[in-house]
Short mmCIF file of all heavy atoms in Angstrom, two decimals:
data_model
loop_
_atom_site.label_atom_id
_atom_site.label_comp_id
_atom_site.label_asym_id
_atom_site.label_seq_id
_atom_site.Cartn_x
_atom_site.Cartn_y
_atom_site.Cartn_z
N MET A 167 127.88 -10.70 15.47
CA MET A 167 129.14 -10.80 16.21
C MET A 167 129.90 -9.48 16.09
O MET A 167 129.92 -8.89 15.02
CB MET A 167 129.97 -11.94 15.63
CG MET A 167 131.01 -12.47 16.59
SD MET A 167 132.02 -13.77 15.85
CE MET A 167 130.85 -15.13 15.89
N ILE A 168 130.51 -9.07 17.19
CA ILE A 168 131.21 -7.80 17.12
C ILE A 168 132.60 -7.96 16.52
O ILE A 168 133.17 -9.03 16.54
CB ILE A 168 131.27 -7.10 18.50
CG1 ILE A 168 132.01 -7.96 19.51
CG2 ILE A 168 129.91 -6.75 19.00
CD1 ILE A 168 132.37 -7.22 20.75
N SER A 170 135.58 -7.18 17.34
CA SER A 170 136.76 -7.59 18.10
C SER A 170 136.88 -9.11 18.18
O SER A 170 137.96 -9.64 18.37
CB SER A 170 136.74 -7.00 19.50
OG SER A 170 135.70 -7.58 20.23
N SER A 171 135.76 -9.81 18.04
CA SER A 171 135.89 -11.26 18.16
C SER A 171 136.55 -11.86 16.92
O SER A 171 136.95 -13.02 16.93
CB SER A 171 134.55 -11.92 18.46
OG SER A 171 133.51 -11.15 17.98
N LEU A 174 141.58 -11.78 16.54
CA LEU A 174 142.16 -12.55 17.63
C LEU A 174 143.62 -12.24 17.83
O LEU A 174 144.36 -12.01 16.89
CB LEU A 174 141.96 -14.04 17.35
CG LEU A 174 140.52 -14.49 17.54
CD1 LEU A 174 140.31 -15.85 16.92
CD2 LEU A 174 140.13 -14.50 18.99
N LYS A 175 144.00 -12.26 19.09
CA LYS A 175 145.36 -11.84 19.43
C LYS A 175 146.39 -12.93 19.19
O LYS A 175 146.09 -14.12 19.23
CB LYS A 175 145.41 -11.49 20.91
CG LYS A 175 144.81 -10.15 21.21
CD LYS A 175 144.83 -9.94 22.70
CE LYS A 175 143.96 -8.74 23.02
NZ LYS A 175 143.77 -8.59 24.46
N LYS A 188 159.01 -16.56 34.49
CA LYS A 188 157.88 -16.36 35.40
C LYS A 188 158.02 -15.04 36.15
O LYS A 188 157.07 -14.27 36.26
CB LYS A 188 157.80 -17.53 36.37
CG LYS A 188 156.64 -17.45 37.32
CD LYS A 188 156.60 -18.68 38.22
CE LYS A 188 155.45 -18.58 39.21
NZ LYS A 188 155.41 -19.73 40.11
N LEU A 191 157.55 -12.07 33.87
CA LEU A 191 156.14 -11.94 33.49
C LEU A 191 155.31 -11.38 34.64
O LEU A 191 154.48 -10.48 34.45
CB LEU A 191 155.61 -13.31 33.06
CG LEU A 191 154.17 -13.36 32.56
CD1 LEU A 191 153.97 -12.46 31.35
CD2 LEU A 191 153.78 -14.79 32.20
N LEU A 192 155.56 -11.89 35.86
CA LEU A 192 154.82 -11.38 37.03
C LEU A 192 155.10 -9.90 37.23
O LEU A 192 154.19 -9.12 37.51
CB LEU A 192 155.24 -12.15 38.30
CG LEU A 192 154.61 -13.53 38.49
CD1 LEU A 192 155.26 -14.25 39.67
CD2 LEU A 192 153.10 -13.42 38.70
N THR A 195 153.50 -7.80 34.43
CA THR A 195 152.05 -7.75 34.63
C THR A 195 151.70 -6.78 35.74
O THR A 195 150.75 -6.00 35.63
CB THR A 195 151.52 -9.17 34.96
OG1 THR A 195 151.89 -10.05 33.91
CG2 THR A 195 150.00 -9.17 35.09
N LYS A 200 147.96 -5.23 33.88
CA LYS A 200 147.39 -6.51 33.47
C LYS A 200 148.23 -7.07 32.33
O LYS A 200 149.03 -6.36 31.72
CB LYS A 200 145.93 -6.37 33.03
CG LYS A 200 145.74 -5.58 31.74
CD LYS A 200 144.29 -5.56 31.30
CE LYS A 200 143.87 -6.82 30.59
NZ LYS A 200 142.54 -6.74 29.94
N ASN A 201 148.03 -8.35 32.07
CA ASN A 201 148.67 -8.98 30.93
C ASN A 201 147.61 -9.18 29.85
O ASN A 201 146.71 -9.99 30.02
CB ASN A 201 149.28 -10.32 31.37
CG ASN A 201 149.67 -11.18 30.20
OD1 ASN A 201 149.58 -10.77 29.05
ND2 ASN A 201 150.09 -12.39 30.49
N PRO A 202 147.68 -8.42 28.76
CA PRO A 202 146.60 -8.46 27.77
C PRO A 202 146.65 -9.66 26.82
O PRO A 202 145.83 -9.75 25.92
CB PRO A 202 146.79 -7.14 27.01
CG PRO A 202 148.22 -6.80 27.17
CD PRO A 202 148.72 -7.45 28.42
N PHE A 203 147.59 -10.56 26.99
CA PHE A 203 147.75 -11.68 26.07
C PHE A 203 147.43 -13.02 26.72
O PHE A 203 147.51 -13.16 27.93
CB PHE A 203 149.20 -11.75 25.56
CG PHE A 203 149.57 -10.66 24.61
CD1 PHE A 203 150.15 -9.50 25.07
CD2 PHE A 203 149.32 -10.81 23.26
CE1 PHE A 203 150.48 -8.48 24.19
CE2 PHE A 203 149.67 -9.79 22.37
CZ PHE A 203 150.24 -8.62 22.85
N GLN A 204 147.15 -13.98 25.86
CA GLN A 204 147.12 -15.37 26.32
C GLN A 204 148.57 -15.85 26.31
O GLN A 204 149.23 -15.84 25.27
CB GLN A 204 146.27 -16.21 25.37
CG GLN A 204 145.87 -17.55 25.97
CD GLN A 204 145.15 -18.42 24.97
OE1 GLN A 204 144.64 -17.96 23.95
NE2 GLN A 204 145.11 -19.71 25.25
N VAL A 205 149.07 -16.24 27.47
CA VAL A 205 150.50 -16.54 27.58
C VAL A 205 150.73 -17.83 28.34
O VAL A 205 149.97 -18.18 29.25
CB VAL A 205 151.24 -15.35 28.23
CG1 VAL A 205 150.65 -15.00 29.56
CG2 VAL A 205 152.72 -15.60 28.37
N GLU A 206 151.74 -18.56 27.94
CA GLU A 206 152.16 -19.74 28.69
C GLU A 206 153.67 -19.69 28.87
O GLU A 206 154.38 -19.04 28.10
CB GLU A 206 151.76 -21.03 27.97
CG GLU A 206 150.25 -21.28 27.90
CD GLU A 206 149.61 -21.66 29.25
OE1 GLU A 206 150.34 -22.07 30.16
OE2 GLU A 206 148.38 -21.51 29.36
N LEU A 207 154.13 -20.39 29.93
CA LEU A 207 155.55 -20.38 30.29
C LEU A 207 156.13 -21.77 30.20
O LEU A 207 155.48 -22.73 30.55
CB LEU A 207 155.69 -19.95 31.75
CG LEU A 207 155.49 -18.50 32.11
CD1 LEU A 207 155.32 -18.40 33.61
CD2 LEU A 207 156.68 -17.68 31.67
N LEU A 208 157.35 -21.83 29.77
CA LEU A 208 158.06 -23.10 29.76
C LEU A 208 159.46 -22.84 30.31
O LEU A 208 160.17 -21.97 29.81
CB LEU A 208 158.12 -23.61 28.33
CG LEU A 208 158.45 -25.06 28.05
CD1 LEU A 208 157.64 -26.00 28.93
CD2 LEU A 208 158.15 -25.37 26.59
N GLU A 221 159.04 -30.95 22.44
CA GLU A 221 157.71 -31.55 22.22
C GLU A 221 156.65 -30.77 23.00
O GLU A 221 155.57 -30.47 22.48
CB GLU A 221 157.76 -33.01 22.69
CG GLU A 221 156.59 -33.83 22.18
CD GLU A 221 156.58 -35.23 22.81
OE1 GLU A 221 157.67 -35.80 23.02
OE2 GLU A 221 155.47 -35.71 23.10
N LEU A 222 156.97 -30.41 24.25
CA LEU A 222 156.04 -29.60 25.05
C LEU A 222 155.82 -28.24 24.40
O LEU A 222 154.70 -27.74 24.33
CB LEU A 222 156.61 -29.39 26.46
CG LEU A 222 156.42 -30.49 27.49
CD1 LEU A 222 157.10 -30.10 28.79
CD2 LEU A 222 154.94 -30.73 27.73
N LYS A 225 153.40 -28.41 21.67
CA LYS A 225 152.02 -28.53 22.16
C LYS A 225 151.49 -27.18 22.66
O LYS A 225 150.34 -26.83 22.43
CB LYS A 225 151.95 -29.57 23.28
CG LYS A 225 152.10 -30.99 22.77
CD LYS A 225 152.03 -31.98 23.90
CE LYS A 225 152.15 -33.41 23.36
NZ LYS A 225 152.15 -34.39 24.44
N TYR A 226 152.37 -26.46 23.35
CA TYR A 226 151.98 -25.12 23.82
C TYR A 226 151.61 -24.22 22.64
O TYR A 226 150.60 -23.50 22.67
CB TYR A 226 153.13 -24.46 24.58
CG TYR A 226 153.11 -24.66 26.07
CD1 TYR A 226 154.21 -25.18 26.72
CD2 TYR A 226 152.01 -24.30 26.83
CE1 TYR A 226 154.22 -25.35 28.11
CE2 TYR A 226 152.00 -24.46 28.20
CZ TYR A 226 153.11 -25.00 28.83
OH TYR A 226 153.10 -25.16 30.18
N ASN A 228 150.65 -25.01 19.70
CA ASN A 228 149.40 -25.48 19.12
C ASN A 228 148.20 -24.98 19.92
O ASN A 228 147.17 -24.57 19.37
CB ASN A 228 149.44 -27.01 19.07
CG ASN A 228 148.23 -27.58 18.38
OD1 ASN A 228 147.81 -27.07 17.35
ND2 ASN A 228 147.67 -28.61 18.96
N PHE A 229 148.35 -24.99 21.25
CA PHE A 229 147.27 -24.50 22.12
C PHE A 229 147.10 -22.98 22.01
O PHE A 229 145.99 -22.46 22.00
CB PHE A 229 147.58 -24.92 23.57
CG PHE A 229 146.77 -24.21 24.62
CD1 PHE A 229 145.39 -24.24 24.59
CD2 PHE A 229 147.39 -23.51 25.64
CE1 PHE A 229 144.63 -23.58 25.56
CE2 PHE A 229 146.65 -22.85 26.61
CZ PHE A 229 145.27 -22.90 26.56
N ASN A 232 145.52 -19.14 17.93
CA ASN A 232 144.10 -19.11 17.60
C ASN A 232 143.91 -18.56 16.19
O ASN A 232 142.85 -18.06 15.83
CB ASN A 232 143.33 -18.28 18.63
CG ASN A 232 143.95 -16.93 18.82
OD1 ASN A 232 144.49 -16.37 17.86
ND2 ASN A 232 143.89 -16.39 20.01
N GLU B 1442 147.36 -18.72 41.35
CA GLU B 1442 148.76 -18.44 41.00
C GLU B 1442 148.91 -18.40 39.48
O GLU B 1442 149.59 -17.54 38.92
CB GLU B 1442 149.65 -19.55 41.58
CG GLU B 1442 151.12 -19.31 41.40
CD GLU B 1442 151.96 -20.53 41.82
OE1 GLU B 1442 151.39 -21.59 42.10
OE2 GLU B 1442 153.18 -20.39 41.86
N ARG B 1443 148.23 -19.31 38.79
CA ARG B 1443 148.30 -19.34 37.32
C ARG B 1443 147.67 -18.08 36.72
O ARG B 1443 148.20 -17.51 35.76
CB ARG B 1443 147.60 -20.61 36.81
CG ARG B 1443 147.44 -20.68 35.28
CD ARG B 1443 148.79 -20.62 34.56
NE ARG B 1443 148.62 -20.46 33.13
CZ ARG B 1443 148.43 -19.31 32.52
NH1 ARG B 1443 148.35 -18.18 33.22
NH2 ARG B 1443 148.31 -19.26 31.21
N LYS B 1445 147.61 -15.20 37.94
CA LYS B 1445 148.46 -14.02 38.15
C LYS B 1445 149.45 -13.82 37.00
O LYS B 1445 149.89 -12.72 36.72
CB LYS B 1445 149.24 -14.17 39.47
CG LYS B 1445 148.41 -13.77 40.67
CD LYS B 1445 149.28 -13.39 41.86
CE LYS B 1445 150.00 -14.60 42.41
NZ LYS B 1445 150.72 -14.33 43.66
N LEU B 1446 149.79 -14.93 36.33
CA LEU B 1446 150.72 -14.83 35.20
C LEU B 1446 150.04 -14.27 33.96
O LEU B 1446 150.69 -13.79 33.04
CB LEU B 1446 151.28 -16.21 34.86
CG LEU B 1446 152.12 -16.88 35.93
CD1 LEU B 1446 152.43 -18.30 35.52
CD2 LEU B 1446 153.41 -16.10 36.14
N GLY B 1447 148.74 -14.36 33.91
CA GLY B 1447 147.99 -13.91 32.74
C GLY B 1447 146.66 -14.64 32.74
O GLY B 1447 146.57 -15.77 33.22
N SER B 1448 145.64 -13.98 32.21
CA SER B 1448 144.31 -14.58 32.24
C SER B 1448 144.29 -15.86 31.41
O SER B 1448 144.91 -15.94 30.35
CB SER B 1448 143.28 -13.60 31.70
OG SER B 1448 142.01 -14.20 31.68
N SER B 1450 141.64 -16.68 30.04
CA SER B 1450 140.61 -16.40 29.05
C SER B 1450 141.17 -16.69 27.66
O SER B 1450 142.31 -16.37 27.36
CB SER B 1450 140.19 -14.93 29.15
OG SER B 1450 139.97 -14.36 27.87
N ILE B 1451 140.35 -17.36 26.83
CA ILE B 1451 140.81 -17.60 25.45
C ILE B 1451 139.95 -16.80 24.46
O ILE B 1451 140.03 -17.00 23.25
CB ILE B 1451 140.80 -19.10 25.08
CG1 ILE B 1451 139.41 -19.70 25.26
CG2 ILE B 1451 141.81 -19.87 25.93
CD1 ILE B 1451 139.25 -21.06 24.61
N LYS B 1453 136.02 -14.83 23.31
CA LYS B 1453 134.65 -15.26 22.96
C LYS B 1453 133.84 -15.75 24.16
O LYS B 1453 132.99 -16.64 24.03
CB LYS B 1453 134.70 -16.34 21.89
CG LYS B 1453 135.36 -15.86 20.59
CD LYS B 1453 135.52 -17.00 19.63
CE LYS B 1453 136.31 -16.54 18.41
NZ LYS B 1453 136.73 -17.65 17.56
N ILE B 1457 139.69 -20.99 30.42
CA ILE B 1457 140.12 -22.35 30.76
C ILE B 1457 141.14 -22.29 31.90
O ILE B 1457 142.34 -22.49 31.67
CB ILE B 1457 140.72 -23.08 29.53
CG1 ILE B 1457 139.82 -22.95 28.31
CG2 ILE B 1457 140.94 -24.55 29.84
CD1 ILE B 1457 140.32 -23.70 27.07
N HIS B 1459 143.53 -23.50 34.61
CA HIS B 1459 144.12 -24.84 34.70
C HIS B 1459 145.29 -24.85 35.67
O HIS B 1459 145.93 -23.83 35.88
CB HIS B 1459 144.57 -25.32 33.32
CG HIS B 1459 145.43 -24.34 32.58
ND1 HIS B 1459 144.90 -23.31 31.84
CD2 HIS B 1459 146.77 -24.21 32.47
CE1 HIS B 1459 145.88 -22.61 31.29
NE2 HIS B 1459 147.04 -23.13 31.67
N ASP B 1482 139.46 -10.57 33.26
CA ASP B 1482 140.65 -10.01 32.61
C ASP B 1482 140.76 -10.57 31.20
O ASP B 1482 141.85 -10.89 30.71
CB ASP B 1482 141.94 -10.34 33.39
CG ASP B 1482 141.90 -9.81 34.82
OD1 ASP B 1482 141.38 -8.69 34.99
OD2 ASP B 1482 142.34 -10.52 35.73
N ASN B 1483 139.57 -10.71 30.56
CA ASN B 1483 139.52 -11.37 29.26
C ASN B 1483 140.42 -10.70 28.22
O ASN B 1483 140.64 -9.50 28.27
CB ASN B 1483 138.08 -11.46 28.71
CG ASN B 1483 137.09 -10.61 29.43
OD1 ASN B 1483 136.83 -10.85 30.60
ND2 ASN B 1483 136.58 -9.61 28.77
N ILE B 1484 140.91 -11.52 27.30
CA ILE B 1484 141.82 -11.00 26.29
C ILE B 1484 141.06 -10.28 25.17
O ILE B 1484 141.66 -9.62 24.34
CB ILE B 1484 142.71 -12.11 25.69
CG1 ILE B 1484 141.87 -13.23 25.09
CG2 ILE B 1484 143.66 -12.67 26.73
CD1 ILE B 1484 142.66 -14.15 24.18
N ASP B 1485 139.73 -10.43 25.12
CA ASP B 1485 138.94 -9.62 24.17
C ASP B 1485 137.89 -8.85 24.95
O ASP B 1485 137.91 -8.83 26.18
CB ASP B 1485 138.34 -10.50 23.07
CG ASP B 1485 137.40 -11.57 23.64
OD1 ASP B 1485 137.16 -11.57 24.87
OD2 ASP B 1485 136.92 -12.40 22.86
N SER B 1486 136.95 -8.21 24.24
CA SER B 1486 135.99 -7.36 24.96
C SER B 1486 134.81 -8.16 25.52
O SER B 1486 133.93 -7.59 26.15
CB SER B 1486 135.48 -6.29 23.99
OG SER B 1486 134.86 -6.92 22.89
N LEU B 1487 134.79 -9.45 25.29
CA LEU B 1487 133.66 -10.25 25.76
C LEU B 1487 133.96 -10.85 27.13
O LEU B 1487 134.90 -11.64 27.29
CB LEU B 1487 133.37 -11.38 24.76
CG LEU B 1487 132.92 -10.94 23.37
CD1 LEU B 1487 132.77 -12.14 22.45
CD2 LEU B 1487 131.62 -10.16 23.44
N PHE B 1502 152.43 -33.99 32.74
CA PHE B 1502 152.27 -32.64 32.24
C PHE B 1502 151.89 -32.61 30.75
O PHE B 1502 151.10 -31.79 30.29
CB PHE B 1502 153.61 -31.95 32.47
CG PHE B 1502 153.64 -30.51 32.12
CD1 PHE B 1502 152.51 -29.74 32.20
CD2 PHE B 1502 154.82 -29.92 31.72
CE1 PHE B 1502 152.55 -28.40 31.89
CE2 PHE B 1502 154.88 -28.60 31.41
CZ PHE B 1502 153.75 -27.83 31.49
N SER B 1503 152.42 -33.55 30.01
CA SER B 1503 152.24 -33.55 28.57
C SER B 1503 150.76 -33.70 28.17
O SER B 1503 150.28 -33.00 27.28
CB SER B 1503 153.08 -34.67 27.98
OG SER B 1503 153.12 -34.56 26.60
N ASN B 1504 150.06 -34.59 28.88
CA ASN B 1504 148.63 -34.76 28.60
C ASN B 1504 147.84 -33.49 28.87
O ASN B 1504 146.83 -33.21 28.23
CB ASN B 1504 148.04 -35.87 29.48
CG ASN B 1504 148.43 -37.22 28.98
OD1 ASN B 1504 148.97 -37.33 27.88
ND2 ASN B 1504 148.17 -38.24 29.76
N LEU B 1506 148.65 -30.49 28.22
CA LEU B 1506 148.64 -29.60 27.07
C LEU B 1506 147.75 -30.11 25.95
O LEU B 1506 147.09 -29.34 25.26
CB LEU B 1506 150.07 -29.41 26.56
CG LEU B 1506 150.91 -28.57 27.51
CD1 LEU B 1506 152.36 -28.64 27.13
CD2 LEU B 1506 150.42 -27.15 27.47
N GLU B 1507 147.73 -31.41 25.81
CA GLU B 1507 146.83 -31.97 24.79
C GLU B 1507 145.38 -31.66 25.13
O GLU B 1507 144.58 -31.31 24.28
CB GLU B 1507 147.05 -33.48 24.67
CG GLU B 1507 148.02 -33.79 23.56
CD GLU B 1507 148.75 -35.10 23.76
OE1 GLU B 1507 148.66 -35.68 24.86
OE2 GLU B 1507 149.41 -35.52 22.83
N LEU B 1509 144.30 -29.15 27.03
CA LEU B 1509 144.06 -27.71 26.86
C LEU B 1509 143.83 -27.36 25.39
O LEU B 1509 142.90 -26.63 25.05
CB LEU B 1509 145.25 -26.90 27.39
CG LEU B 1509 145.36 -26.73 28.90
CD1 LEU B 1509 146.63 -25.97 29.24
CD2 LEU B 1509 144.15 -25.99 29.43
N ALA B 1510 144.69 -27.91 24.54
CA ALA B 1510 144.55 -27.63 23.11
C ALA B 1510 143.21 -28.17 22.60
O ALA B 1510 142.51 -27.51 21.82
CB ALA B 1510 145.70 -28.26 22.33
N SER B 1513 140.36 -25.98 23.96
CA SER B 1513 140.42 -24.68 23.30
C SER B 1513 139.85 -24.76 21.88
O SER B 1513 139.07 -23.90 21.45
CB SER B 1513 141.87 -24.23 23.31
OG SER B 1513 142.05 -23.16 22.45
N ARG B 1522 129.71 -23.70 21.77
CA ARG B 1522 129.49 -22.71 22.83
C ARG B 1522 127.99 -22.51 23.10
O ARG B 1522 127.56 -22.42 24.24
CB ARG B 1522 130.14 -21.37 22.47
CG ARG B 1522 131.65 -21.39 22.47
CD ARG B 1522 132.23 -19.98 22.56
NE ARG B 1522 131.85 -19.13 21.45
CZ ARG B 1522 132.47 -19.11 20.27
NH1 ARG B 1522 133.53 -19.88 20.06
NH2 ARG B 1522 132.05 -18.32 19.30
#
Side-chain angles (χ1 to χ4, degrees):
Chain A
M167 202 182 285
I168 61 167
S170 68
S171 26
L174 287 165
K175 283 177 192 172
K188 182 178 178 181
L191 183 59
L192 281 172
T195 303
K200 68 176 280 190
N201 166 5
F203 289 93
Q204 196 186 341
V205 56
E206 293 288 342
L207 286 165
L208 196 48
E221 196 187 323
L222 278 178
K225 287 180 179 178
Y226 266 126
N228 184 43
F229 165 56
N232 52 33
Chain B
E1442 186 188 9
R1443 172 60 190 83
K1445 278 202 291 188
L1446 296 172
S1448 178
S1450 141
I1451 58 167
K1453 299 174 186 168
I1457 311 183
H1459 51 276
D1482 301 320
N1483 13 295
I1484 57 165
D1485 60 5
S1486 59
L1487 296 175
F1502 185 29
S1503 191
N1504 284 350
L1506 289 168
E1507 265 154 349
L1509 282 177
S1513 167
R1522 291 199 299 276

